[in-house]
Amino acid sequence: MNNSKVRIPKEIAPDVFALAAQLYAQENQDYSLEEIMQAGAEVQIPPEVIQQAIQQIQAKQIRERDRQRKLKLMLTSGGIGAAIALFGFWTYNTVASNATPKGRSLEANLPSANLANANPLDIPPAPPPGLPPAAGTTFTGEVKQYLLNPEGKVDGLLLNNGLQVKFPPQMADSLVGIITPNTKVSILGNPGFFTRFGQEVRAKSITNSQTGQTLVEQPPTTAPQPPNLNNYSTLSAEGTAQNWLVGHRGEINGVIISNGTIVKFPPHVGEQLTSMANIGNTIQAKGFGTRNRYGQILEATALSVNGQSVSLQPKAITNP
């Protein structure tokens, strides 16, 4: 049948084009290296920078796969196997948290680009220009609760205005000694990318506004120690989302639920949640973590939001 003479009513033409674009996108779920290079050239990103970005993301995905494997090993094994898995997890987090500025320079300097509203590599957008200088910006608020790392050490504060203040975990004892929940504080630090979920601030100093006591960031004096296996246990938690947690670039990396439990997961998991994450979501999580007088935290190995299972596996990049 010859359809070339079929006439499409003007009022449905936009819907036809929209559906056709959607169907085409569904049939083309990956991109060749040449296509990515061409897209990069349109926004003046050098080919070598794109190559470096792909290599970094592939390396990140390998680390994430190893990390997930070690988490499963810890949950299904005991004794030596669990200790090995925990040490691997600790090593991963130590390396990630102590990455040098030089190691992050490529991401920081990549120009933000709108590749026809597509982001094939799922690279989180770089913070916009005009952020405050390295000297820091002052913020104020009231402490809602402590933030913890997977070892159960206090490494920050959640304020009632949504600010998520991060501080070195080796200074946890000093921090809890002068700052408690419901304390009004003044923060000097470097703000991250602002999101509808809140904003991370890397604190240089924290002041108790009521007593005037100030804690200034200090570098660690000793090498980080491996975590104590006895501090970890398998945990599960269920509740409604009270605060979604974000990293410095605005990526979702955790959630605090109604019973106060902090549920953490890698940033690539947060990418799946950007459109569906809201206050009041029903959260179910299983994993491993710690529980102490400062709160409860678990690193998720299984996660669902509003009854929908969320994949914790990193996305794979296929070689062209």
Side-chain angles (χ1 to χ4, degrees), residues 189-266:
N190 294 329
F193 188 60
F194 181 82
T195 75
R196 67 185 178 96
F197 308 107
Q199 183 180 26
E200 183 190 83
V201 176
R202 293 178 180 171
K204 293 179 175 294
S205 68
I206 299 178
T207 299
N208 184 323
S209 300
Q210 295 158 291
T211 66
Q213 293 174 287
T214 298
L215 185 63
V216 179
E217 177 190 17
Q218 299 293 333
T221 56
T222 60
Q225 297 299 310
N228 186 347
L229 181 63
N230 295 327
N231 293 338
Y232 288 79
S233 60
T234 56
L235 298 173
S236 62
E238 182 176 353
T240 57
Q242 301 298 299
N243 292 91
W244 289 93
L245 302 177
V246 297
H248 208 65
R249 300 185 66 189
E251 70 278 13
I252 304 175
N253 58 21
V255 61
I256 299 177
I257 61 177
S258 48
N259 66 1
T261 298
I262 301 172
V263 178
K264 297 289 287 184
F265 42 77

Side-chain angles (χ1 to χ4, degrees), residues 64-86:
E64 290 291 351
R65 283 193 292 268
D66 288 344
R67 177 175 175 275
Q68 290 297 323
R69 177 177 57 80
K70 290 168 183 175
L71 293 182
K72 290 180 180 178
L73 175 62
M74 181 177 179
L75 293 175
T76 58
S77 304
I80 296 176
I84 293 174
L86 181 57

Side-chain angles (χ1 to χ4, degrees), residues 87-104:
F87 182 79
F89 173 74
W90 170 80
T91 302
Y92 170 86
N93 280 280
T94 300
V95 171
S97 63
N98 291 305
T100 63
K102 180 179 180 182
R104 295 192 299 266

Side-chain angles (χ1 to χ4, degrees), residues 16-95:
V16 172
F17 284 120
L19 180 58
Q22 180 180 354
L23 294 174
Y24 179 78
Q26 291 174 349
E27 294 177 359
N28 295 272
Q29 294 297 318
D30 54 18
Y31 301 82
S32 69
L33 180 60
E34 181 180 358
E35 289 173 327
I36 293 178
M37 293 294 187
Q38 290 175 348
E42 293 178 3
V43 290
Q44 299 181 343
I45 300 178
E48 61 271 16
V49 173
I50 293 179
Q51 287 279 15
Q52 290 175 343
I54 292 174
Q55 292 171 1
Q56 287 193 9
I57 292 176
Q58 288 176 328
K60 173 184 174 182
Q61 291 176 342
I62 292 173
R63 292 195 300 270
E64 290 291 351
R65 283 193 292 268
D66 288 344
R67 177 175 175 275
Q68 290 297 323
R69 177 177 57 80
K70 290 168 183 175
L71 293 182
K72 290 180 180 178
L73 175 62
M74 181 177 179
L75 293 175
T76 58
S77 304
I80 296 176
I84 293 174
L86 181 57
F87 182 79
F89 173 74
W90 170 80
T91 302
Y92 170 86
N93 280 280
T94 300
V95 171

Side-chain angles (χ1 to χ4, degrees), residues 158-164 197-200 243-244:
L158 173 66
L159 304 189
N160 58 358
N161 55 14
L163 287 178
Q164 300 161 28
F197 308 107
Q199 183 180 26
E200 183 190 83
N243 292 91
W244 289 93

Side-chain angles (χ1 to χ4, degrees), residues 103-295:
R104 295 192 299 266
S105 61
L106 175 62
E107 290 184 0
N109 292 324
L110 274 175
S112 57
N114 181 5
L115 304 182
N117 295 323
N119 196 358
L121 298 180
D122 288 325
I123 302 174
L131 287 178
T137 302
T138 299
F139 301 87
T140 59
E142 184 174 303
V143 177
K144 186 174 183 179
Q145 76 173 79
Y146 292 126
L147 298 178
L148 310 177
N149 68 9
E151 297 176 57
K153 294 182 179 180
V154 175
D155 69 347
L157 307 167
L158 173 66
L159 304 189
N160 58 358
N161 55 14
L163 287 178
Q164 300 161 28
V165 182
K166 303 298 288 184
F167 211 62
Q170 75 269 11
M171 301 186 68
D173 291 341
S174 300
L175 180 62
V176 300
I178 68 169
I179 303 294
T180 60
N182 302 317
T183 299
K184 292 183 179 180
V185 294
S186 176
I187 311 295
L188 177 67
N190 294 329
F193 188 60
F194 181 82
T195 75
R196 67 185 178 96
F197 308 107
Q199 183 180 26
E200 183 190 83
V201 176
R202 293 178 180 171
K204 293 179 175 294
S205 68
I206 299 178
T207 299
N208 184 323
S209 300
Q210 295 158 291
T211 66
Q213 293 174 287
T214 298
L215 185 63
V216 179
E217 177 190 17
Q218 299 293 333
T221 56
T222 60
Q225 297 299 310
N228 186 347
L229 181 63
N230 295 327
N231 293 338
Y232 288 79
S233 60
T234 56
L235 298 173
S236 62
E238 182 176 353
T240 57
Q242 301 298 299
N243 292 91
W244 289 93
L245 302 177
V246 297
H248 208 65
R249 300 185 66 189
E251 70 278 13
I252 304 175
N253 58 21
V255 61
I256 299 177
I257 61 177
S258 48
N259 66 1
T261 298
I262 301 172
V263 178
K264 297 289 287 184
F265 42 77
H268 77 268
V269 176
E271 294 171 9
Q272 304 174 54
L273 301 174
T274 301
S275 60
M276 63 186 297
N278 286 294
I279 302 302
N281 289 142
T282 299
I283 307 295
Q284 293 178 309
K286 295 181 180 179
F288 74 95
T290 55
R291 181 189 297 113
N292 57 34
R293 58 179 172 157
Y294 302 121

